[in-house]
Amino acid sequence: MTGRLRAPTGRYGGKTAEERQAERRRRFLDAALQLFGDAPGYRATTVAALSEAAGLSTRQFYEEFRTLEDVLAELHLEVNDWATGAVLAAVADADRLPLAERAAAIFRAYAANVTSDPRRVRITFVEIIGVSARLEEQRLARRALWVDLVCAEANRAVLRGEAALRDYRLAATGFIGSVNGLLHDWSAGWVDATLDEVVEELVRQLLGILQPPGWESARG
């Protein structure tokens, strides 16, 4: 029957309401990566400036987020997830390699991902610091996951006879601090080295933890 009203499909411009919402949220996050991770930085960015950079309105911002801190929190998790994905892929690919080569492949994947964009470095190591108790808890929780990953790989090395038997949690916590500090300083231009040299140094440090002097005789 011509002229009959059809039930609304929820589509506009060929996209569902959910797709349009996801697209808006992505635009805010992409704009935040630029403004928080470059200039002017998180603390100097306003809702109006972020909305303008995203090509959206402040009304649309408040439909997606409560505060700018919510945006930073989500962006921080996202940047960490990108790095985690790269590392887990490297862990799987390097499974059959000897310990030193395996560690090098894993750290190369992490370093390459994090430093591929200076904005990611700033979000991960600079902008997240000192914002609020909530974000400090989130930062420490994500760091704890990296500690867990290092411990898991260390324990796998122990089972393969490649590392000393010990509790690695304290050492892994200290080591993650070294990784973050060195990569931040390298990215900021404070370390005169290539990224490969940075990775090699991290591998040497990790091997020193996993294979301390006398570990072979103690194993045997």
Side-chain angles (χ1 to χ4, degrees), residues 33-50:
L33 180 62
Q34 179 60 36
L35 296 183
F36 298 174
D38 190 355
Y42 166 73
R43 290 163 178 80
T45 298
T46 64
V47 170
L50 180 62

Side-chain angles (χ1 to χ4, degrees), residues 166-195:
R166 58 168 291 195
D167 182 350
Y168 280 100
R169 182 153 297 277
L170 186 61
T173 301
F175 179 66
I176 289 297
S178 296
V179 172
N180 292 346
L182 185 53
L183 285 177
H184 170 265
D185 289 358
W186 178 85
S187 179
W190 298 338
V191 174
D192 184 16
T194 66
L195 186 57

